[in-house]
């Protein structure tokens, strides 16, 4: 018996239709991926959180106002509110900053390549270090935040420069990848010193020192959060052994910028999650965890400012209703 197999050739028109459908599908996939990316407009829109802003009148400022006809004392309310200063991204793959417009700033360099985590699929042996790159970039939503705060009254200006690269871990390989010299600091090996969370409460996520990119932590979100906390710790201080631009605004009459970041202090700073999802609330670490599929996370760092509107040439003194806290 002879079997004859008949094949049907596709016409040129059908092939064109198939290629057209494939192209359309590819475009839709790329568009969907772009929509999921963290963008500058999305970051700016995130500043509308009233819980993060926490605007309060905390005291009164007394000003000496003088003219050729004499001097008088004028007063103005002393306000306190939080300001998003930095966008801090913590991610596994070098060059993979979730903030799409800024990812080119952290491309691999000859001394900072690769990335990823040393992990094992066994839950009983999940004790290998995770590595994270970190970028700290000036928050772009300052103008939107000022407009929101002005709705309550006087607003304090931010001390951060929008979109300024305060820290890129790819440019700091000796300290971030080798832990030099902080691996020999007392805070790095004395239990209980500079830890995020509390051992007694069972929620200790990791140590702040040494402030480098490795941590033994089974939970990816917690490891990324510890890295963000480490970077913010030295970015908000001067004279640290890292390659960075310090963010420490100087006080002036009627203007009191925040103190350097200190872990576990809700009055000192707060974090707003931006990736993998944008949240409308702020908290300190430890906080509820949300896992990212690609090991990339981004937060806004909010810090409290106190200020009062200038009503004279000289600030005589100010009083706080609640200590300014």
């Amino acid at each position: 018996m002879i079997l004859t197999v008949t094949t049907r050739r596709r016409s040129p028109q059908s092939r064109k239709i198939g290629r057209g459908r494939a192209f359309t599908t590819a475009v839709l996939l790329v568009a969907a991926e772009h929509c999921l990316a963290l963008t500058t407009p999305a970051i700016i829109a995130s500043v509308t959180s009233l819980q993060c802003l926490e605007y309060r009148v905390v005291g009164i400022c007394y000003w000496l106002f003088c003219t050729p006809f004499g001097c008088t004392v004028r007063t103005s309310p002393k306000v306190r509110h939080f300001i998003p200063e930095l966008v801090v991204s913590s991610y596994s793959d070098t060059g993979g900053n979730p903030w799409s417009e800024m990812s080119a700033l952290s491309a691999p360099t000859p001394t900072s390549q690769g990335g990823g985590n040393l992990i094992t699929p066994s839950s009983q042996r999940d004790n290998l270090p995770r590595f994270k790159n970190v970028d700290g970039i000036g928050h772009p939503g300052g103008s939107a935040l000022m407009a929101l705060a002005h709705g309550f009254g006087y607003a304090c200006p931010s001390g951060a420069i929008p979109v300024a690269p305060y820290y890129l871990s790819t440019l700091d390989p000796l300290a971030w990848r080798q832990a030099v010299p902080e691996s020999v600091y007392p805070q790095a090996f004395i239990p209980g010193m500079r830890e995020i969370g509390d051992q007694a409460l069972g929620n200790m996520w990791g140590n702040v020192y040494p402030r480098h990119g490795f941590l033994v932590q089974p939970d990816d979100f917690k490891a990324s959060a510890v890295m963000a906390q480490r970077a913010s710790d030295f970015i908000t201080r001067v004279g640290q052994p890292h390659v960075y631009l310090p963010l420490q605004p100087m006080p002036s009459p009627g203007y009191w910028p925040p103190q350097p970041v200190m872990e576990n202090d809700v009055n000192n700073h707060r974090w707003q999650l931006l990736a993998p999802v944008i949240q409308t609330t702020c908290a300190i670490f430890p906080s509820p965890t949300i896992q990212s599929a690609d090991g990339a996370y981004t937060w806004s760092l909010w810090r409290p400012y106190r200020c009062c509107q200038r009503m004279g040439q000289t600030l005589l003194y100010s009083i706080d209703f609640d200590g300014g806290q």
Side-chain angles (χ1 to χ4, degrees):
M1 179 182 295
I2 300 176
L3 297 178
T4 303
V5 179
T6 303
T7 60
R8 181 179 299 176
R9 297 182 62 184
R10 297 178 62 187
S11 66
Q13 183 178 3
S14 64
R15 287 197 296 269
K16 290 181 180 178
I17 293 175
R19 287 195 297 267
R21 288 175 179 173
F23 177 77
T24 302
T25 302
V27 170
L28 291 176
L29 289 174
V30 172
E33 182 179 357
H34 180 72
C35 291
L36 294 175
L38 181 63
T39 63
T40 301
I43 294 175
I44 294 175
S46 70
V47 306
T48 57
S49 170
L50 297 181
Q51 188 266 351
C52 295
L53 177 68
E54 196 178 290
Y55 190 98
R56 296 176 59 187
V57 177
V58 296
I60 300 175
C61 290
Y62 294 84
W63 300 88
L64 182 64
F65 177 74
C66 295
T67 69
F69 305 100
C71 295
T72 59
V73 175
R74 294 182 173 182
T75 62
S76 61
K78 186 177 186 179
V79 303
R80 188 212 68 172
H81 62 82
F82 283 75
I83 294 177
E85 294 182 313
L86 291 176
V87 177
V88 182
S89 298
S90 179
Y91 52 95
S92 300
D93 297 328
T94 305
N97 189 331
W99 186 0
S100 56
E101 292 94 338
M102 297 293 113
S103 60
L105 294 178
S106 54
T109 68
T111 56
S112 296
Q113 298 185 16
N117 299 320
L118 297 173
I119 58 176
T120 173
S122 172
S123 58
Q124 282 75 33
R125 300 177 58 192
D126 195 3
N127 60 350
L128 296 177
R130 293 177 182 266
F131 173 78
K132 297 290 180 179
N133 297 279
V134 169
D135 298 338
I137 299 173
H139 201 289
S143 298
L145 188 281
M146 289 291 289
L148 177 65
H150 271 298
F152 296 90
Y154 186 70
C156 304
S158 173
I161 303 173
V163 199
Y166 283 91
Y167 182 68
L168 303 173
S169 61
T170 54
L171 303 182
D172 187 31
L174 188 62
W176 192 253
R177 293 179 176 243
Q178 305 297 329
V180 176
E182 294 183 350
S183 59
V184 297
Y185 284 17
Q187 303 96 312
F189 54 83
I190 297 180
M193 289 189 65
R194 304 299 308 274
E195 293 178 344
I196 301 171
D198 193 306
Q199 290 276 17
L201 298 177
N203 64 354
M204 204 279 282
W205 284 13
N207 50 307
V208 176
Y209 279 80
R211 296 172 298 185
H212 68 149
F214 292 91
L215 179 68
V216 177
Q217 168 58 258
D219 189 283
D220 194 60
F221 180 95
K222 296 178 182 179
S224 297
V226 171
M227 303 307 174
Q229 189 80 46
R230 288 175 174 177
S232 67
D233 190 84
F234 60 76
I235 292 174
T236 56
R237 290 170 168 82
V238 298
Q240 305 300 298
H242 289 266
V243 180
Y244 72 108
L245 177 66
L247 175 56
Q248 193 177 64
M250 296 301 296
S252 60
Y255 179 71
W256 297 269
Q259 296 296 313
V261 165
M262 181 60 66
E263 66 278 2
N264 307 322
D265 187 351
V266 71
N267 292 314
N268 172 266
H269 73 286
R270 294 172 189 181
W271 296 99
Q272 179 188 15
L273 183 65
L274 299 179
V277 296
I278 296 180
Q279 295 184 336
T280 59
T281 57
C282 287
I284 58 171
F285 305 136
S287 63
T289 63
I290 299 178
Q291 301 300 323
S292 170
D294 58 359
Y297 304 83
T298 300
W299 290 268
S300 287
L301 174 64
W302 294 65
R303 292 204 295 164
Y305 282 73
R306 293 179 295 149
C307 64
C308 49
Q309 185 175 5
R310 178 177 288 272
M311 299 296 290
Q313 294 88 354
T314 304
L315 176 66
L316 298 175
Y317 58 94
S318 68
I319 59 174
D320 292 331
F321 298 146
D322 58 356
Q325 299 298 317

